[in-house]
Amino acid sequence: MSGPRPKTCAACGRGIAPNAVYYRFTLVLEGEQDVLGPSGGKSSEDELAALMKQLEEGSESPQELEDQVHWERSGVVCAACRSVVIRTLSAPPEPAKPH
């Protein structure tokens, strides 16, 4: 009979001892846009054709394009990294300005 598989912290890369507490996570980033740019008199078919041409001529691979719309990861973090991860993903104390 073998014990639990060794786990590695996704934040710091250190091994997590089998008897240590660890924290499981799943992170999903999905691209959204609330306001689209003005159409400038173009029909939706023209806009779609222009977008398709831009995608075909672009340098991004299909995987890069997909990652811009949907990206997800799961894993575990050690007890020492838990607070860093929570602080990083928590809302800022005051409203941030747009990028």
Side-chain angles (χ1 to χ4, degrees):
M1 181 174 171
S2 64
R5 291 183 23 201
K7 293 173 180 55
T8 302
C9 177
C12 69
R14 290 184 288 217
I16 300 172
N19 62 342
V21 174
Y22 61 91
Y23 300 86
R24 186 169 306 282
F25 72 89
T26 300
L27 179 61
V28 178
L29 300 177
E30 295 177 334
E32 293 186 12
Q33 187 172 358
D34 291 336
V35 179
L36 299 176
S39 65
K42 290 184 179 180
S43 69
S44 59
E45 291 86 14
D46 291 339
E47 288 179 350
L48 183 57
L51 178 60
M52 290 302 295
K53 184 176 180 179
Q54 180 183 357
L55 291 174
E56 289 170 356
E57 293 174 353
S59 61
E60 293 97 348
S61 72
Q63 184 62 46
E64 289 172 321
L65 292 171
E66 184 177 330
D67 286 347
Q68 290 177 20
V69 177
H70 181 91
W71 181 90
E72 69 181 79
R73 294 293 182 269
S74 59
V76 296
V77 293
C78 66
C81 290
R82 178 186 176 274
S83 61
V84 174
V85 171
I86 289 174
R87 190 170 51 247
T88 301
L89 296 176
S90 294
E94 51 189 64
K97 294 182 174 141
H99 293 273

